[in-house]
Amino acid sequence: MYKINENYLKLQDNYLFSTIAKKLEEYKSKNPDKEIIKMGIGDVTRPISPSIIEAMHKAVDEMKNKDTFRGYGPEQGYSFLREKISKCDYKARGINIEEDEIFVSDGAKCDVANILDILGNENKVAITDPVYPVYLDTNVMIGTAGNFNKEKGTYDNIVYVPIKAENNFVPELPKEKVNIIYLCLPNNPTGTVLNKEELKRWVDYAKDNEALILFDSAYERYITEANIPHSIYEISGAKEVAIEFRSFSKTAGFTGIRCAYTVVPKELKAKTSSGEYVLLNKLWNRRMSTKFNGVSYITQRAAESVYSESGQREIKENIDYYMENAKIIREGLKKSGFVVYGGINAPYIWLKVPEGLTSWEFFDKLLEKKQIVGTPGVGFGPSGEGYFRLTAFGTRENTIKAMERISINTQELK
Ligand code: PLP
């Protein structure tokens, strides 16, 4: 009999979104006349802006002409896009990232998962808790996570680094030695960030311990405050210890179009078991050339147009729209007596559920009493218990309406 990767059997069913959907359906069937406001979604809702649509149309037209038709493209991405990324996302910020350190892909989710191809399964991995669930599950899949401990709700071989109100959402350096660290900043789900000094401590830790930081900055465009790093490479020495993942999904509304990129600096060197140094850039390049066909030409032209003057203006308008929603949610919740975090540098608002309630109990109350759907914090990791995520990706009208509903008879939620 053939064998399967039995690590997959160690994955915990992610009941989070299916349970939410089930509860919602049940509620709807019992209350067909009630209007429900969805604030649980982590997907953008604003349509693609005109400059991007125009660039795509133009690229489609090129495909019908024999002189401009494109077949297989470079697996690492077209130079026209990598050059723009290097110039606008890095060099403009004083960071020297070259074109050949940038790898264009169809998603940060895929890259965050696929990077484990070149890292293998013998690392001690640290993951902040709560966090985007893909980091944990992909480590379970390759066997680094160990067994699941039902009582604790954690995997035996993963080092969980809590981020919660008690530590001001600043993760403490692990007490035990780890060699891979996932950092998601601005954070999904908490919406919180680290300043340069706080992030530097992690870069220094990685240097001192020969560890690698996997830095997911999918939400960097949502940062509004100064002194919050958009890229880990703003911290000196980070090019020797960090890979950075970025995406056009939340930046430019590409969740359906699909385009992202990963930066693997040439300073990154890993040591083999026989003590030789190898460049991670070379390994990732090989991995992409072998297992990936590149992102479509049309999509890359769309991504390129994001960097045009009009493209930048248009994506900013959309981000500003979401961030105004975030402000309305933050202020609305505060006025109603809730303790809130995030929402200033990210489209996520993380609220403390009222004393004595679990995050799922709060979910039920919010649905039943206010017809609002959000996401229970515990679904993002054990330290998310007692918290709840609302997203700013809805319409302005619904965001305002939701805060009004919460402000009237707020005690029903406590
Ligand atoms: N990283 C984080 C932290 C996310 O929250 C998400 C999507 O929700 C992604 C990555 C996925 O990005 P992409 O759409 O490029 O795969």
Side-chain angles (χ1 to χ4, degrees):
M1 186 66 184
Y2 56 84
K3 301 263 199 278
I4 57 162
N5 177 355
E6 294 194 15
N7 292 316
Y8 274 65
L9 308 179
K10 294 182 184 162
L11 286 165
Q12 299 306 297
D13 278 332
N14 192 342
Y15 294 118
L16 180 65
F17 290 102
S18 57
T19 309
I20 292 174
K22 207 171 115 216
K23 280 177 180 269
L24 186 57
E25 277 321 301
E26 265 169 32
Y27 182 82
K28 273 201 218 155
S29 67
K30 284 189 202 145
N31 304 275
D33 54 320
K34 294 269 195 281
E35 187 219 15
I36 291 163
I37 301 178
K38 291 187 183 169
M39 299 182 84
I41 43 162
D43 195 357
V44 291
T45 52
R46 314 252 322 144
I48 300 298
S49 59
S51 302
I52 301 169
I53 295 290
E54 198 187 312
M56 289 181 92
H57 276 299
K58 204 167 145 235
V60 168
D61 284 340
E62 285 179 46
M63 290 297 193
K64 69 183 176 196
N65 185 326
K66 77 172 173 31
D67 296 326
T68 48
F69 160 80
R70 309 277 178 137
Y72 284 125
E75 291 94 352
Q76 301 78 1
Y78 282 102
S79 187
F80 61 76
L81 178 57
R82 296 169 91 194
E83 188 240 318
K84 282 270 158 49
I85 294 169
S86 157
K87 190 170 143 224
C88 307
D89 285 346
Y90 293 102
K91 289 184 179 160
R93 287 188 169 273
I95 303 164
N96 190 28
I97 293 291
E98 297 298 339
E99 245 183 75
D100 59 1
E101 295 174 304
I102 296 162
F103 296 84
V104 177
S105 79
D106 58 349
K109 182 186 192 176
C110 325
D111 285 353
V112 158
N114 291 332
I115 201 73
L116 295 176
D117 260 16
I118 65 164
L119 299 175
N121 60 3
E122 289 178 46
N123 289 301
K124 189 76 183 170
V125 174
I127 293 177
T128 55
D129 167 34
V131 86
Y132 183 53
V134 175
Y135 314 148
L136 178 65
D137 283 356
T138 51
N139 274 285
V140 176
M141 288 170 176
I142 65 160
T144 18
N147 291 317
F148 188 68
N149 182 323
K150 277 217 169 78
E151 242 163 70
K152 292 187 188 157
T154 56
Y155 284 88
D156 294 339
N157 288 345
I158 296 282
V159 174
Y160 291 77
V161 183
I163 42 173
K164 44 190 183 179
E166 287 78 357
N167 58 20
N168 211 13
F169 298 91
V170 177
E172 279 167 34
L173 297 173
K175 299 207 170 42
E176 59 192 294
K177 194 172 154 73
V178 298
N179 35 35
I180 304 272
I181 299 151
Y182 287 85
L183 292 178
C184 175
L185 294 161
N187 189 262
N188 176 11
T190 65
T192 56
V193 288
L194 295 187
N195 64 30
K196 285 191 181 153
E197 294 70 36
E198 288 157 348
L199 185 56
K200 184 176 180 302
R201 292 177 62 229
W202 283 90
V203 170
D204 292 344
Y205 173 94
K207 275 193 189 164
D208 294 345
N209 292 279
E210 296 188 307
L212 175 69
I213 297 176
L214 299 177
F215 191 79
D216 183 343
S217 59
Y219 297 96
E220 64 80 26
R221 279 291 169 116
Y222 289 80
I223 293 171
T224 61
E225 290 180 315
N227 199 34
I228 304 300
H230 287 244
S231 163
I232 192 164
Y233 306 123
E234 288 177 45
I235 312 298
S236 104
K239 280 169 77 181
E240 289 148 45
V241 293
I243 291 178
E244 180 159 291
F245 302 92
R246 289 219 184 161
S247 172
F248 292 93
S249 283
K250 306 297 160 74
T251 305
F254 275 43
T255 51
I257 294 178
R258 311 295 322 137
C259 196
Y261 65 86
T262 289
V263 179
V264 188
K266 280 178 278 182
E267 284 88 338
L268 272 176
K269 292 188 188 112
K271 215 192 288 174
T272 64
S273 43
S274 54
E276 291 152 50
Y277 283 96
V278 287
L279 295 188
L280 288 189
N281 180 285
K282 209 171 150 199
L283 295 189
W284 186 242
N285 190 39
R286 184 60 202 254
R287 192 255 167 223
M288 293 301 268
S289 311
T290 305
K291 292 196 178 181
F292 188 57
N293 269 324
V295 175
S296 82
Y297 174 72
I298 300 160
T299 299
Q300 291 192 59
R301 281 293 183 202
E304 180 197 24
S305 74
V306 167
Y307 296 99
S308 68
E309 212 184 304
S310 55
Q312 287 289 295
R313 192 182 56 246
E314 290 161 4
I315 65 158
K316 186 171 180 306
E317 274 165 20
N318 283 341
I319 289 171
D320 288 349
Y321 179 95
Y322 295 134
M323 289 310 283
E324 181 61 26
N325 284 350
K327 192 171 162 206
I328 291 167
I329 299 170
R330 267 182 70 86
E331 287 175 1
L333 289 173
K334 272 196 195 163
K335 255 193 212 145
S336 297
F338 288 94
V339 177
V340 295
Y341 307 96
I344 294 173
N345 296 298
Y348 297 119
I349 289 88
W350 191 239
L351 67 106
K352 190 97 191 78
V353 303
E355 209 50 49
L357 293 182
T358 65
S359 53
W360 273 112
E361 284 165 351
F362 185 72
F363 173 93
D364 291 336
K365 276 190 190 270
L366 197 61
L367 178 59
E368 275 157 32
K369 305 288 182 196
K370 307 291 175 195
Q371 294 77 49
I372 297 170
V373 181
T375 316
V378 71
F380 298 99
S383 295
E385 182 54 282
Y387 295 91
F388 199 79
R389 190 189 79 171
L390 292 179
T391 80
F393 288 124
T395 62
R396 178 65 40 79
E397 190 195 352
N398 278 348
T399 304
I400 293 171
K401 207 190 278 178
M403 290 309 111
E404 278 167 5
R405 284 187 193 173
I406 289 176
S407 72
I408 302 164
N409 291 332
T410 310
Q411 66 280 6
E412 289 177 331
L413 295 173
K414 303 206 168 157

